[in-house]
């Protein structure tokens, strides 16, 4: 389903809803003991997220990747929201049962609950981790699960997925033939690693989503990994909101995914001289050349873009 943002106010309203969701989640994750009925609040944020996605998945991904890739401020909440959205879309893609989908998304939102403040601190830290920080990172899975129990969470799948979400497994079997806990742990692990790759830190730039996607399937086992492949189908090799260098030296931002992964719809925002295009121009996949030569990290495009106009172009491309 697609829709047209008729005015810049509508774009700002939609971006504001995503920002409000991220900010509200940040408060809940930072002060969990101050939240009455914690489980209910997480379910409310989940429904809010689903409502925003159902407007238009491409627009949702566009705004999400823009938010995630531009600033490390509030990293923990941003990372949790990106992971939850990707888990939701991944669950739809592989037709996960609803109860498992709920446990997976709620685990994505809360997996780092015991280190929310530390995670934000580390995103802004240039130096190496101290021994105390390393110990806290190692312990955060078990501590997050225990904290959730004290907050009244009784969903065993939610708790187990949080407690084991850093367990890496190379699976070539049908993921739906696994036991539910192993399935959800594996899915969240894949999503967590992908989302961490695209997010910037003070110590490094975020990688482009395309680099991250290639990193996800770099090993032979990953090429046969159903979850990794399904995630790539969901977000695309060039997800909406990511920047690309075209082979005619122009720079574009991806607006919409297409069935052919290497030919998404692109708004050309910088000309071959690196100058801002006013207005941006539409380049659809069916037009062929220019082709995408490389993906770019968000830090490479410093100009202030009119994202409302870009998304309007995206709606015209449907």
């Amino acid at each position: 389903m697609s829709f047209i943002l008729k005015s810049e106010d509508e774009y700002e309203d939609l971006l504001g809803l995503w920002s409000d969701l991220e900010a509200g989640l940040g408060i809940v994750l930072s002060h969990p003991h101050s939240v009455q009925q914690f489980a209910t609040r997480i379910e409310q944020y989940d429904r809010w997220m689903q409502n925003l996605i159902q407007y238009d998945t491409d627009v949702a991904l566009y705004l999400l990747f823009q938010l995630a890739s531009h600033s490390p401020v509030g990293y923990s909440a941003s990372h949790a929201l990106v992971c939850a959205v990707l888990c939701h879309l991944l669950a739809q893609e592989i037709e996960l049962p609803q109860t498992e989908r709920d446990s997976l998304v709620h685990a994505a939102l809360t997996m780092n609950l015991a280190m929310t403040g530390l995670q934000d601190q580390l995103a802004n830290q240039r130096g190496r981790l101290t021994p105390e920080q390393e110990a806290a990172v190692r312990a955060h899975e078990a501590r997050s699960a225990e904290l959730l129990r004290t907050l009244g969470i009784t969903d065993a799948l939610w708790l187990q997925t949080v407690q084991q979400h850093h367990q890496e497994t190379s699976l070539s079997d049908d993921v739906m033939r696994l036991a539910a806990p192993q399935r959800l742990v594996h899915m969240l692990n894949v999503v967590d690693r992908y989302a961490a790759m695209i997010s910037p830190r003070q110590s490094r730039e975020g990688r482009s989503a395309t680099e991250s996607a290639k990193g996800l399937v770099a090993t032979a086992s990953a090429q046969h990994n159903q979850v990794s492949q399904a995630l790539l189908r969901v977000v695309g090799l060039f997800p909406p909101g990511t920047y690309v260098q075209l082979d005619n030296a122009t720079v574009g931002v991806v607006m919409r995914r297409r069935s052919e992964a290497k030919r998404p719809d692109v708004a050309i925002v910088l000309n071959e001289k690196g100058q801002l295009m006013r207005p941006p121009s539409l380049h659809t996949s069916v037009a062929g050349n220019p082709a995408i030569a490389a993906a770019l990290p968000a830090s490479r495009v410093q100009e202030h873009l009119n994202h409302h106009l870009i998304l309007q172009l995206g709606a015209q491309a449907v």
Side-chain angles (χ1 to χ4, degrees):
M1 180 171 122
S2 66
F3 74 114
I4 297 176
L5 292 161
K6 297 184 179 66
S7 70
E8 195 148 1
D9 284 344
E10 284 188 14
Y11 166 76
E12 293 295 341
D13 287 347
L14 186 58
L15 181 61
L17 287 171
W18 277 106
S19 298
D20 288 347
L21 172 56
E22 184 182 75
L25 180 62
I27 293 171
V28 169
L29 296 179
S30 298
H31 307 283
H33 288 295
S34 301
V35 178
Q36 292 186 334
Q37 297 183 309
F38 183 86
T40 301
R41 185 65 65 86
I42 293 297
E43 289 163 6
Q44 288 172 342
Y45 282 125
D46 181 9
R47 286 195 297 273
W48 185 356
M49 178 195 80
Q50 291 180 69
N51 287 337
L52 290 177
I53 293 171
Q54 73 180 16
Y55 276 118
D56 186 312
T57 302
D58 284 295
V59 170
L61 287 171
Y62 184 100
L63 295 174
L64 194 68
F65 276 99
Q66 287 291 324
L67 284 172
S69 62
H70 272 91
S71 173
V73 175
Y75 172 83
S76 190
S78 172
H79 179 72
L81 185 56
V82 170
C83 288
V85 169
L86 295 180
C87 281
H88 170 72
L89 297 175
L90 188 56
Q92 289 182 324
E93 177 69 19
I94 68 172
E95 299 180 350
L96 206 62
Q98 183 67 38
T99 55
E100 290 188 25
R101 177 261 166 223
D102 292 346
S103 297
L104 176 64
V105 171
H106 297 163
L109 289 169
T110 59
M111 60 183 166
N112 298 317
L113 187 63
M115 59 173 280
T116 299
L118 176 59
Q119 199 174 27
D120 288 342
Q121 179 186 338
L122 294 178
N124 290 286
Q125 180 173 311
R126 291 187 180 276
R128 296 180 61 178
L129 274 67
T130 66
E132 294 77 14
Q133 288 173 333
E134 288 181 348
V137 170
R138 282 195 301 271
H140 83 275
E141 292 171 287
R143 289 184 58 231
S144 294
E146 186 55 38
L147 180 53
L148 286 169
R149 289 186 187 95
T150 68
L151 293 166
I153 304 305
T154 57
D155 176 352
L157 261 183
W158 178 352
L159 293 169
Q160 188 167 350
T161 304
V162 167
Q163 188 155 343
Q164 299 177 349
H165 71 270
H166 279 300
Q167 286 189 8
E168 289 192 33
T169 50
S170 296
L171 301 174
S172 56
D173 295 336
D174 180 355
V175 72
M176 298 308 292
R177 294 174 63 182
L178 299 173
Q182 188 181 8
R183 173 165 50 249
L184 298 198
V185 165
H186 178 63
M187 291 175 68
L188 184 53
N189 181 265
V190 171
V191 166
D192 187 24
R193 285 186 290 122
Y194 173 82
M197 288 181 206
I198 66 170
S199 299
R201 317 276 205 287
Q202 284 296 335
S203 58
R204 64 160 176 80
E205 292 182 343
R207 297 166 67 180
S208 76
T210 305
E211 284 181 306
S212 302
K214 289 176 178 175
L216 205 62
V217 295
T219 64
S221 61
Q223 290 170 16
H224 301 288
N225 186 304
Q226 187 181 359
V227 173
S228 298
Q229 296 296 337
L231 182 59
L232 290 187
R233 289 197 302 274
V234 163
V235 297
L237 189 57
F238 303 101
T242 57
Y243 296 101
V244 289
Q245 178 91 53
L246 303 177
D247 61 11
N248 64 352
T250 60
V251 170
V253 59
V254 176
M255 303 172 297
R256 289 198 173 275
R257 301 158 298 165
R258 289 290 181 186
S259 55
E260 190 178 342
K262 294 184 179 179
R263 290 198 174 276
D265 292 334
V266 174
I268 298 176
V269 294
L270 302 179
N271 64 21
E272 63 279 2
K273 296 179 182 177
Q275 300 165 330
L276 193 63
M277 298 271 288
R278 292 194 176 92
S281 64
L282 173 65
H283 174 55
T284 61
S285 59
V286 293
N289 293 326
I292 294 174
L296 300 173
S299 58
R300 288 283 301 277
V301 180
Q302 298 293 332
E303 287 76 4
H304 181 72
L305 302 181
N306 188 326
H307 293 291
H308 162 242
L309 278 182
I310 291 168
L311 290 173
Q312 275 195 321
L313 282 175
Q316 294 170 23
V318 175

